[in-house]
Structure formats: C-alpha cells, structure tokens
Amino acid sequence: MSSKKELIFIGSLILLWYCSNIGVLLLNKLLLSNYGFGFPIFLTMCHMTACSFLSYVSIVFFKVVPFQRIKSRSQFFKIATLSLVFCGSVVGGNISLRYLPVSFNQAVGATTPFFTALFAYLMTFKREAWVTYACLVPVVGGVIIASGGEPSFHLFGFIMCISATAARAFKSVLQGILLSNEGEKLNSMNLMLYMAPIAVVALIPAVFVMEPNVLEVFVSVGIQHRFMWIILILNSVMAYSANLTNFLVTKYTSALTLQVLGNAKGAVAVVISILIFQNPVTVVGIGGYTMTVIGVAAYGETKRRYN
C-alpha cells in the first residue's frame, strides 16, 4: 500500500470510528429520550445481538482476524465474567442517557482513567509515578465542577453514569488479570465474538423481569414513529462498528494515537450533541469538562513517559 493510499485508508478508518462512536451515543439518546422508548436493557440486548451476529460474519466469513477458539472451561468462565461486567457498563450508560444530556454523559465518562488507576492499584497493587496520580486531580475536579454547573443534572442518571464508567474501567483491569496467560489471550474482536452472545443470554430474562411491557411499547412507538425501526437497526450496527473500528484504528496506528483521538472524540460528541439536542450548557460546565479533558490528556502523556 502506497503512502498516500495508506493515509487515506487510516483517515477513513478514523472517520468511521468517530461516526460510529458518536452516532451510537446520539441515537441512544434519541431512542431513550426523544422517542420515549425508555427501555435501556432491551436496547443493550439489541446491541449485543448485532455484535454477536456481525462478529461471527466478520471473523468466520470475512476473516478480519484469525478465529481463536476457547481452550478450556476455565477460560470460558473468565470470558463470561468479563461479559457480565461489560454488559453492566453498557446498560448503566444507556440508563444514564435517559436522564442526562450526551454532553454531561461524556464529561463523566472521561473519568475512566481515574477508575482504571484505582482498580489497578486495589486489584494488582500496581503503582504509578506520583506525577501520574497528580494528573487525575483535574480529571475528577473537572467533573465535580461540571456537575455543579450542569442545568440538566439528575442524581440517579449521574449515579448510573458513574457506575457505568467504573464498570468499564473494572472490565479493562479484570481482563488484564483474567486473560494474562499467553494461551488464554484473545484479541478484542474474538473476545467480542464470545462475550456478546453471553450478554444476550443474560439480558433476555432481565428484559422480561424489569421491562415486561417492552414489546407492546416497541410496536406502538414503531407505528407512531415510522423511522424508529430503521434507527434501532442502524444504532445496533453502529454499536458493533464502534468496536470493530476501535480495533482497526489501534492495529493500524497505536494505542497512544487511539487515546489522543478518544479525548478529541469526546469533545466533538459534546459539541454535536449540544447542536442537535439544544440542551442548555453553562460556562462553568464547559470549563469543568475542559479541565477533565486536559487532565486525561496529561495522564496519558505521563503514563507514556514514566511507565
């Protein structure tokens, strides 16, 4: 691949990654709030169903990555544990979108490095350089400031968002511990291939118990809003695309590039969501979110230098 073609290819991948990540966030908000389809567990089940099917097609038929088999019962139980934690983080994130604007959801989500460092220390006793921990102060401080300046602040939504962010960080640390054995390591695409069906199996009974009238409302809202079906399908495909492009961007660039792009993605998502949903923002809220993003960027840089 020539240098010019390679740049176009990588640029297209990054654009698709941005569109997938921001798109799934905005469509989640649209379905959960604007269309009145308040069933975050069912929505997560749709995402996981799409991830199950599309992962199988991508790996088995299109051979995006080599297929990796589960080698033991122990490895399966480890993957199942990761799947349930991952599932909890997605459900929590979707629940929070019912009550919080996307902009504030992204501000809270930016604190993932804080929880990752916390769980890494508690579970593996891994210590970072003091300057790395110092960079987490503005990460947390920014969210506290943003919370105080958020006109649409909702306590339950905030708790769900924090829980989802913590669960996401917990899953990444847990993955490093459970699948640390060379014989048990799976790339992220094969891990999704196994995790997604397990999540669907876990979510089906949860939907019937916690959202018993989902099918009735689903049909009713679908008749009232003709495009809801298309939005739901597109939303579910984007959920898989976000995972696939995340893997590909890391493969063709680097983990550091992904982190930098991720920080910028959060800011882009905030701006786009404010323009689309017209949710009110304050100077204090914007200042708090900016502080958090700067703290995350500094944290990533210090980890690269001192680890």
Short mmCIF file of all heavy atoms in Angstrom, two decimals, residues 127-189:
data_model
loop_
_atom_site.label_atom_id
_atom_site.label_comp_id
_atom_site.label_asym_id
_atom_site.label_seq_id
_atom_site.Cartn_x
_atom_site.Cartn_y
_atom_site.Cartn_z
N ARG A 127 1.49 0.43 41.17
CA ARG A 127 1.59 1.86 41.48
C ARG A 127 2.15 2.62 40.28
O ARG A 127 3.02 2.14 39.57
CB ARG A 127 2.51 2.08 42.68
CG ARG A 127 1.92 1.56 43.99
CD ARG A 127 2.76 1.99 45.16
NE ARG A 127 2.20 1.56 46.42
CZ ARG A 127 2.70 1.89 47.61
NH1 ARG A 127 3.76 2.66 47.68
NH2 ARG A 127 2.12 1.46 48.72
N GLU A 128 1.61 3.82 40.10
CA GLU A 128 2.11 4.71 39.06
C GLU A 128 3.02 5.75 39.70
O GLU A 128 3.08 5.88 40.93
CB GLU A 128 0.93 5.43 38.37
CG GLU A 128 -0.18 4.52 37.89
CD GLU A 128 0.15 3.81 36.59
OE1 GLU A 128 1.27 4.02 36.07
OE2 GLU A 128 -0.69 3.04 36.11
N ALA A 129 3.73 6.52 38.87
CA ALA A 129 4.54 7.64 39.37
C ALA A 129 3.62 8.68 39.98
O ALA A 129 2.47 8.84 39.57
CB ALA A 129 5.35 8.24 38.22
N TRP A 130 4.12 9.42 40.98
CA TRP A 130 3.28 10.39 41.70
C TRP A 130 2.70 11.44 40.75
O TRP A 130 1.57 11.89 40.92
CB TRP A 130 4.07 11.07 42.81
CG TRP A 130 5.14 12.02 42.32
CD1 TRP A 130 6.45 11.73 42.09
CD2 TRP A 130 4.96 13.41 42.00
NE1 TRP A 130 7.10 12.85 41.63
CE2 TRP A 130 6.21 13.89 41.57
CE3 TRP A 130 3.87 14.28 42.03
CZ2 TRP A 130 6.43 15.21 41.16
CZ3 TRP A 130 4.07 15.60 41.61
CH2 TRP A 130 5.33 16.05 41.20
N VAL A 131 3.49 11.82 39.72
CA VAL A 131 3.02 12.83 38.78
C VAL A 131 1.83 12.31 37.96
O VAL A 131 0.95 13.08 37.57
CB VAL A 131 4.18 13.27 37.85
CG1 VAL A 131 4.59 12.16 36.88
CG2 VAL A 131 3.79 14.53 37.08
N THR A 132 1.79 11.00 37.74
CA THR A 132 0.67 10.39 37.02
C THR A 132 -0.61 10.52 37.84
O THR A 132 -1.67 10.87 37.32
CB THR A 132 0.96 8.90 36.72
OG1 THR A 132 2.21 8.80 36.04
CG2 THR A 132 -0.14 8.30 35.85
N TYR A 133 -0.50 10.22 39.14
CA TYR A 133 -1.67 10.36 40.02
C TYR A 133 -2.09 11.83 40.15
O TYR A 133 -3.28 12.15 40.26
CB TYR A 133 -1.35 9.79 41.40
CG TYR A 133 -1.30 8.29 41.44
CD1 TYR A 133 -0.17 7.62 41.89
CD2 TYR A 133 -2.38 7.51 41.02
CE1 TYR A 133 -0.10 6.23 41.92
CE2 TYR A 133 -2.34 6.13 41.05
CZ TYR A 133 -1.20 5.49 41.51
OH TYR A 133 -1.15 4.12 41.54
N ALA A 134 -1.09 12.73 40.12
CA ALA A 134 -1.41 14.16 40.23
C ALA A 134 -2.29 14.62 39.07
O ALA A 134 -3.14 15.51 39.23
CB ALA A 134 -0.11 14.97 40.27
N CYS A 135 -2.08 14.01 37.90
CA CYS A 135 -2.87 14.39 36.71
C CYS A 135 -4.34 13.98 36.84
O CYS A 135 -5.20 14.49 36.10
CB CYS A 135 -2.28 13.75 35.46
SG CYS A 135 -0.69 14.45 34.99
N LEU A 136 -4.63 13.06 37.77
CA LEU A 136 -6.01 12.62 37.96
C LEU A 136 -6.83 13.64 38.77
O LEU A 136 -8.06 13.57 38.77
CB LEU A 136 -6.03 11.26 38.67
CG LEU A 136 -5.51 10.08 37.84
CD1 LEU A 136 -5.41 8.83 38.70
CD2 LEU A 136 -6.42 9.81 36.64
N VAL A 137 -6.14 14.56 39.45
CA VAL A 137 -6.85 15.58 40.24
C VAL A 137 -7.74 16.45 39.35
O VAL A 137 -8.94 16.61 39.64
CB VAL A 137 -5.86 16.44 41.06
CG1 VAL A 137 -6.60 17.56 41.78
CG2 VAL A 137 -5.11 15.57 42.07
N PRO A 138 -7.21 17.02 38.25
CA PRO A 138 -8.10 17.81 37.38
C PRO A 138 -9.15 16.96 36.67
O PRO A 138 -10.23 17.47 36.32
CB PRO A 138 -7.14 18.45 36.36
CG PRO A 138 -5.90 17.63 36.40
CD PRO A 138 -5.80 17.12 37.81
N VAL A 139 -8.87 15.65 36.47
CA VAL A 139 -9.86 14.75 35.85
C VAL A 139 -11.11 14.69 36.71
O VAL A 139 -12.24 14.88 36.22
CB VAL A 139 -9.28 13.33 35.65
CG1 VAL A 139 -10.37 12.36 35.19
CG2 VAL A 139 -8.15 13.35 34.64
N VAL A 140 -10.92 14.44 38.00
CA VAL A 140 -12.05 14.34 38.93
C VAL A 140 -12.61 15.73 39.25
O VAL A 140 -13.82 15.94 39.28
CB VAL A 140 -11.62 13.62 40.23
CG1 VAL A 140 -12.78 13.57 41.22
CG2 VAL A 140 -11.14 12.21 39.91
N GLY A 141 -11.70 16.69 39.47
CA GLY A 141 -12.13 18.05 39.80
C GLY A 141 -12.98 18.67 38.71
O GLY A 141 -13.96 19.36 38.98
N GLY A 142 -12.62 18.39 37.46
CA GLY A 142 -13.38 18.93 36.33
C GLY A 142 -14.81 18.43 36.31
O GLY A 142 -15.74 19.19 36.03
N VAL A 143 -15.00 17.14 36.62
CA VAL A 143 -16.35 16.57 36.64
C VAL A 143 -17.17 17.14 37.79
O VAL A 143 -18.37 17.39 37.65
CB VAL A 143 -16.30 15.02 36.71
CG1 VAL A 143 -17.67 14.44 37.02
CG2 VAL A 143 -15.78 14.46 35.40
N ILE A 144 -16.51 17.36 38.93
CA ILE A 144 -17.21 17.97 40.08
C ILE A 144 -17.69 19.37 39.72
O ILE A 144 -18.84 19.75 39.99
CB ILE A 144 -16.28 18.01 41.32
CG1 ILE A 144 -15.99 16.58 41.82
CG2 ILE A 144 -16.92 18.84 42.43
CD1 ILE A 144 -14.92 16.51 42.88
N ILE A 145 -16.82 20.13 39.04
CA ILE A 145 -17.19 21.49 38.61
C ILE A 145 -18.31 21.43 37.57
O ILE A 145 -19.29 22.18 37.63
CB ILE A 145 -15.97 22.23 38.04
CG1 ILE A 145 -14.95 22.50 39.17
CG2 ILE A 145 -16.37 23.53 37.37
CD1 ILE A 145 -13.61 23.01 38.69
N ALA A 146 -18.15 20.49 36.60
CA ALA A 146 -19.16 20.35 35.55
C ALA A 146 -20.52 19.96 36.12
O ALA A 146 -21.57 20.40 35.66
CB ALA A 146 -18.71 19.31 34.52
N SER A 147 -20.50 19.11 37.18
CA SER A 147 -21.75 18.68 37.83
C SER A 147 -22.47 19.87 38.45
O SER A 147 -23.69 20.00 38.36
CB SER A 147 -21.46 17.63 38.91
OG SER A 147 -20.84 16.49 38.36
N GLY A 148 -21.69 20.74 39.11
CA GLY A 148 -22.28 21.91 39.75
C GLY A 148 -22.84 22.91 38.75
O GLY A 148 -23.79 23.63 39.05
N GLY A 149 -22.26 22.90 37.53
CA GLY A 149 -22.72 23.84 36.52
C GLY A 149 -23.63 23.23 35.47
O GLY A 149 -23.89 23.85 34.44
N GLU A 150 -24.12 22.00 35.72
CA GLU A 150 -24.97 21.31 34.74
C GLU A 150 -26.44 21.62 35.00
O GLU A 150 -27.01 21.18 36.01
CB GLU A 150 -24.72 19.80 34.80
CG GLU A 150 -25.62 18.95 33.92
CD GLU A 150 -25.62 19.39 32.48
OE1 GLU A 150 -24.52 19.51 31.89
OE2 GLU A 150 -26.72 19.63 31.95
N PRO A 151 -27.12 22.36 34.10
CA PRO A 151 -28.53 22.70 34.31
C PRO A 151 -29.46 21.49 34.32
O PRO A 151 -30.50 21.51 34.96
CB PRO A 151 -28.86 23.61 33.10
CG PRO A 151 -27.53 24.03 32.56
CD PRO A 151 -26.58 22.93 32.87
N SER A 152 -29.05 20.42 33.59
CA SER A 152 -29.91 19.23 33.48
C SER A 152 -29.45 18.10 34.41
O SER A 152 -29.70 16.93 34.12
CB SER A 152 -29.93 18.73 32.03
OG SER A 152 -30.29 19.77 31.15
N PHE A 153 -28.75 18.46 35.48
CA PHE A 153 -28.22 17.43 36.39
C PHE A 153 -29.36 16.60 36.99
O PHE A 153 -30.37 17.13 37.42
CB PHE A 153 -27.42 18.08 37.52
CG PHE A 153 -26.80 17.09 38.48
CD1 PHE A 153 -25.60 16.49 38.18
CD2 PHE A 153 -27.44 16.76 39.68
CE1 PHE A 153 -25.02 15.57 39.05
CE2 PHE A 153 -26.87 15.86 40.56
CZ PHE A 153 -25.67 15.26 40.23
N HIS A 154 -29.14 15.27 36.97
CA HIS A 154 -30.12 14.34 37.55
C HIS A 154 -29.34 13.32 38.38
O HIS A 154 -28.46 12.63 37.85
CB HIS A 154 -30.90 13.63 36.44
CG HIS A 154 -32.08 12.83 36.93
ND1 HIS A 154 -31.92 11.61 37.54
CD2 HIS A 154 -33.41 13.08 36.88
CE1 HIS A 154 -33.13 11.13 37.85
NE2 HIS A 154 -34.04 12.02 37.46
N LEU A 155 -29.62 13.24 39.68
CA LEU A 155 -28.81 12.43 40.59
C LEU A 155 -28.77 10.96 40.19
O LEU A 155 -27.69 10.37 40.12
CB LEU A 155 -29.34 12.57 42.03
CG LEU A 155 -28.53 11.80 43.09
CD1 LEU A 155 -27.08 12.25 43.12
CD2 LEU A 155 -29.17 11.95 44.48
N PHE A 156 -29.93 10.35 39.90
CA PHE A 156 -29.95 8.93 39.54
C PHE A 156 -29.19 8.70 38.23
O PHE A 156 -28.42 7.75 38.11
CB PHE A 156 -31.39 8.44 39.39
CG PHE A 156 -31.49 6.99 38.99
CD1 PHE A 156 -31.11 5.98 39.86
CD2 PHE A 156 -31.94 6.63 37.72
CE1 PHE A 156 -31.18 4.64 39.49
CE2 PHE A 156 -32.02 5.30 37.33
CZ PHE A 156 -31.64 4.29 38.22
N GLY A 157 -29.39 9.59 37.26
CA GLY A 157 -28.67 9.48 36.00
C GLY A 157 -27.17 9.60 36.20
O GLY A 157 -26.38 8.87 35.59
N PHE A 158 -26.77 10.50 37.11
CA PHE A 158 -25.35 10.70 37.42
C PHE A 158 -24.76 9.44 38.06
O PHE A 158 -23.66 9.00 37.71
CB PHE A 158 -25.20 11.90 38.36
CG PHE A 158 -23.79 12.15 38.81
CD1 PHE A 158 -22.84 12.65 37.93
CD2 PHE A 158 -23.40 11.90 40.12
CE1 PHE A 158 -21.53 12.89 38.34
CE2 PHE A 158 -22.10 12.12 40.54
CZ PHE A 158 -21.16 12.63 39.65
N ILE A 159 -25.50 8.84 39.00
CA ILE A 159 -25.04 7.62 39.68
C ILE A 159 -24.88 6.49 38.66
O ILE A 159 -23.89 5.73 38.69
CB ILE A 159 -26.02 7.20 40.80
CG1 ILE A 159 -25.98 8.21 41.95
CG2 ILE A 159 -25.71 5.80 41.32
CD1 ILE A 159 -27.06 8.04 42.98
N MET A 160 -25.83 6.36 37.74
CA MET A 160 -25.75 5.33 36.70
C MET A 160 -24.56 5.55 35.78
O MET A 160 -23.87 4.62 35.38
CB MET A 160 -27.05 5.31 35.88
CG MET A 160 -28.24 4.69 36.56
SD MET A 160 -28.02 2.88 36.81
CE MET A 160 -27.52 2.83 38.53
N CYS A 161 -24.31 6.82 35.46
CA CYS A 161 -23.20 7.15 34.57
C CYS A 161 -21.85 6.86 35.23
O CYS A 161 -20.95 6.30 34.61
CB CYS A 161 -23.28 8.62 34.17
SG CYS A 161 -22.32 9.03 32.72
N ILE A 162 -21.74 7.23 36.50
CA ILE A 162 -20.51 6.94 37.26
C ILE A 162 -20.31 5.43 37.38
O ILE A 162 -19.19 4.92 37.22
CB ILE A 162 -20.58 7.58 38.68
CG1 ILE A 162 -20.31 9.08 38.60
CG2 ILE A 162 -19.60 6.92 39.63
CD1 ILE A 162 -18.86 9.45 38.41
N SER A 163 -21.40 4.70 37.66
CA SER A 163 -21.34 3.24 37.78
C SER A 163 -20.89 2.60 36.47
O SER A 163 -20.07 1.68 36.46
CB SER A 163 -22.70 2.68 38.18
OG SER A 163 -23.13 3.21 39.41
N ALA A 164 -21.43 3.10 35.35
CA ALA A 164 -21.06 2.57 34.03
C ALA A 164 -19.59 2.84 33.74
O ALA A 164 -18.88 1.97 33.21
CB ALA A 164 -21.94 3.21 32.96
N THR A 165 -19.12 4.02 34.08
CA THR A 165 -17.72 4.39 33.86
C THR A 165 -16.79 3.52 34.70
O THR A 165 -15.78 3.01 34.22
CB THR A 165 -17.49 5.88 34.21
OG1 THR A 165 -18.41 6.67 33.45
CG2 THR A 165 -16.08 6.31 33.91
N ALA A 166 -17.17 3.31 35.97
CA ALA A 166 -16.38 2.45 36.87
C ALA A 166 -16.37 1.01 36.36
O ALA A 166 -15.33 0.34 36.38
CB ALA A 166 -16.95 2.52 38.28
N ALA A 167 -17.52 0.51 35.90
CA ALA A 167 -17.62 -0.86 35.38
C ALA A 167 -16.75 -1.04 34.14
O ALA A 167 -16.12 -2.09 33.95
CB ALA A 167 -19.08 -1.21 35.07
N ARG A 168 -16.71 -0.01 33.29
CA ARG A 168 -15.88 -0.07 32.08
C ARG A 168 -14.40 -0.17 32.46
O ARG A 168 -13.65 -0.96 31.87
CB ARG A 168 -16.16 1.17 31.24
CG ARG A 168 -15.72 1.09 29.81
CD ARG A 168 -16.47 2.07 28.92
NE ARG A 168 -16.46 3.45 29.43
CZ ARG A 168 -17.55 4.12 29.75
NH1 ARG A 168 -18.74 3.57 29.63
NH2 ARG A 168 -17.47 5.36 30.19
N ALA A 169 -13.99 0.60 33.44
CA ALA A 169 -12.59 0.57 33.91
C ALA A 169 -12.29 -0.77 34.58
O ALA A 169 -11.22 -1.36 34.38
CB ALA A 169 -12.35 1.72 34.88
N PHE A 170 -13.24 -1.24 35.40
CA PHE A 170 -13.09 -2.52 36.10
C PHE A 170 -12.91 -3.66 35.11
O PHE A 170 -12.07 -4.54 35.29
CB PHE A 170 -14.31 -2.77 36.98
CG PHE A 170 -14.27 -4.05 37.77
CD1 PHE A 170 -13.29 -4.25 38.73
CD2 PHE A 170 -15.21 -5.04 37.57
CE1 PHE A 170 -13.24 -5.43 39.47
CE2 PHE A 170 -15.17 -6.22 38.29
CZ PHE A 170 -14.19 -6.42 39.26
N LYS A 171 -13.68 -3.61 34.01
CA LYS A 171 -13.60 -4.66 32.98
C LYS A 171 -12.21 -4.69 32.34
O LYS A 171 -11.65 -5.76 32.10
CB LYS A 171 -14.69 -4.43 31.93
CG LYS A 171 -14.74 -5.47 30.82
CD LYS A 171 -14.19 -4.91 29.53
CE LYS A 171 -14.08 -5.93 28.45
NZ LYS A 171 -13.38 -5.45 27.24
N SER A 172 -11.64 -3.51 32.06
CA SER A 172 -10.32 -3.48 31.40
C SER A 172 -9.23 -4.02 32.32
O SER A 172 -8.32 -4.73 31.88
CB SER A 172 -9.98 -2.06 30.95
OG SER A 172 -9.81 -1.20 32.05
N VAL A 173 -9.31 -3.68 33.63
CA VAL A 173 -8.32 -4.20 34.59
C VAL A 173 -8.52 -5.71 34.78
O VAL A 173 -7.57 -6.48 34.80
CB VAL A 173 -8.44 -3.46 35.94
CG1 VAL A 173 -7.51 -4.08 36.98
CG2 VAL A 173 -8.13 -1.98 35.76
N LEU A 174 -9.77 -6.11 34.91
CA LEU A 174 -10.11 -7.53 35.10
C LEU A 174 -9.66 -8.36 33.90
O LEU A 174 -9.16 -9.48 34.06
CB LEU A 174 -11.62 -7.67 35.30
CG LEU A 174 -12.13 -8.99 35.89
CD1 LEU A 174 -11.59 -9.19 37.29
CD2 LEU A 174 -13.67 -9.00 35.91
N GLN A 175 -9.81 -7.80 32.72
CA GLN A 175 -9.40 -8.51 31.50
C GLN A 175 -7.89 -8.77 31.52
O GLN A 175 -7.43 -9.85 31.15
CB GLN A 175 -9.76 -7.66 30.28
CG GLN A 175 -9.44 -8.33 28.95
CD GLN A 175 -9.92 -7.49 27.78
OE1 GLN A 175 -10.93 -6.80 27.87
NE2 GLN A 175 -9.21 -7.54 26.68
N GLY A 176 -7.13 -7.76 31.97
CA GLY A 176 -5.68 -7.93 32.06
C GLY A 176 -5.28 -9.00 33.06
O GLY A 176 -4.27 -9.70 32.87
N ILE A 177 -6.08 -9.17 34.12
CA ILE A 177 -5.78 -10.18 35.14
C ILE A 177 -6.23 -11.57 34.68
O ILE A 177 -5.45 -12.53 34.72
CB ILE A 177 -6.49 -9.83 36.48
CG1 ILE A 177 -5.96 -8.52 37.03
CG2 ILE A 177 -6.30 -10.96 37.50
CD1 ILE A 177 -6.75 -7.98 38.20
N LEU A 178 -7.48 -11.68 34.23
CA LEU A 178 -8.04 -12.99 33.88
C LEU A 178 -7.43 -13.61 32.64
O LEU A 178 -7.25 -14.83 32.57
CB LEU A 178 -9.57 -12.86 33.69
CG LEU A 178 -10.39 -12.49 34.93
CD1 LEU A 178 -11.87 -12.44 34.59
CD2 LEU A 178 -10.15 -13.48 36.06
N LEU A 179 -7.12 -12.77 31.66
CA LEU A 179 -6.59 -13.31 30.40
C LEU A 179 -5.11 -12.95 30.22
O LEU A 179 -4.66 -12.62 29.13
CB LEU A 179 -7.42 -12.79 29.22
CG LEU A 179 -8.91 -13.14 29.23
CD1 LEU A 179 -9.62 -12.56 28.03
CD2 LEU A 179 -9.12 -14.65 29.28
N SER A 180 -4.38 -13.00 31.34
CA SER A 180 -2.95 -12.66 31.29
C SER A 180 -2.10 -13.82 30.77
O SER A 180 -1.02 -13.63 30.25
CB SER A 180 -2.46 -12.25 32.69
OG SER A 180 -2.69 -13.31 33.61
N ASN A 181 -2.63 -15.04 30.91
CA ASN A 181 -1.93 -16.22 30.41
C ASN A 181 -1.85 -16.16 28.89
O ASN A 181 -2.85 -15.93 28.21
CB ASN A 181 -2.70 -17.49 30.86
CG ASN A 181 -1.94 -18.76 30.54
OD1 ASN A 181 -1.44 -18.94 29.44
ND2 ASN A 181 -1.86 -19.65 31.51
N GLU A 182 -0.65 -16.39 28.32
CA GLU A 182 -0.47 -16.29 26.87
C GLU A 182 -1.42 -17.21 26.10
O GLU A 182 -1.91 -16.87 25.04
CB GLU A 182 0.99 -16.64 26.49
CG GLU A 182 1.96 -15.50 26.64
CD GLU A 182 1.62 -14.28 25.80
OE1 GLU A 182 1.17 -14.45 24.64
OE2 GLU A 182 1.77 -13.16 26.29
N GLY A 183 -1.68 -18.39 26.67
CA GLY A 183 -2.55 -19.35 25.99
C GLY A 183 -4.02 -18.96 26.02
O GLY A 183 -4.84 -19.50 25.28
N GLU A 184 -4.37 -18.00 26.89
CA GLU A 184 -5.77 -17.60 27.05
C GLU A 184 -6.09 -16.24 26.45
O GLU A 184 -7.24 -15.84 26.39
CB GLU A 184 -6.15 -17.61 28.54
CG GLU A 184 -6.17 -18.99 29.15
CD GLU A 184 -6.66 -18.98 30.60
OE1 GLU A 184 -6.56 -17.92 31.25
OE2 GLU A 184 -7.16 -20.03 31.06
N LYS A 185 -5.06 -15.52 26.00
CA LYS A 185 -5.29 -14.18 25.46
C LYS A 185 -6.09 -14.24 24.17
O LYS A 185 -5.86 -15.10 23.33
CB LYS A 185 -3.96 -13.47 25.21
CG LYS A 185 -3.33 -12.88 26.46
CD LYS A 185 -2.08 -12.10 26.13
CE LYS A 185 -1.47 -11.48 27.39
NZ LYS A 185 -0.22 -10.77 27.10
N LEU A 186 -7.03 -13.31 24.04
CA LEU A 186 -7.82 -13.18 22.81
C LEU A 186 -7.73 -11.73 22.34
O LEU A 186 -7.70 -10.82 23.16
CB LEU A 186 -9.29 -13.53 23.07
CG LEU A 186 -9.64 -14.95 23.52
CD1 LEU A 186 -11.11 -15.03 23.91
CD2 LEU A 186 -9.36 -15.96 22.41
N ASN A 187 -7.70 -11.54 21.03
CA ASN A 187 -7.77 -10.16 20.55
C ASN A 187 -9.19 -9.64 20.78
O ASN A 187 -10.11 -10.42 21.01
CB ASN A 187 -7.33 -10.03 19.08
CG ASN A 187 -8.23 -10.81 18.13
OD1 ASN A 187 -9.46 -10.68 18.15
ND2 ASN A 187 -7.63 -11.65 17.30
N SER A 188 -9.35 -8.33 20.72
CA SER A 188 -10.63 -7.73 21.12
C SER A 188 -11.80 -8.19 20.25
O SER A 188 -12.93 -8.29 20.72
CB SER A 188 -10.53 -6.20 21.09
OG SER A 188 -10.25 -5.75 19.78
N MET A 189 -11.54 -8.54 18.99
CA MET A 189 -12.63 -8.96 18.10
C MET A 189 -13.12 -10.37 18.46
O MET A 189 -14.32 -10.64 18.46
CB MET A 189 -12.18 -8.92 16.64
CG MET A 189 -11.85 -7.51 16.14
SD MET A 189 -13.08 -6.27 16.60
CE MET A 189 -14.53 -6.90 15.81
#
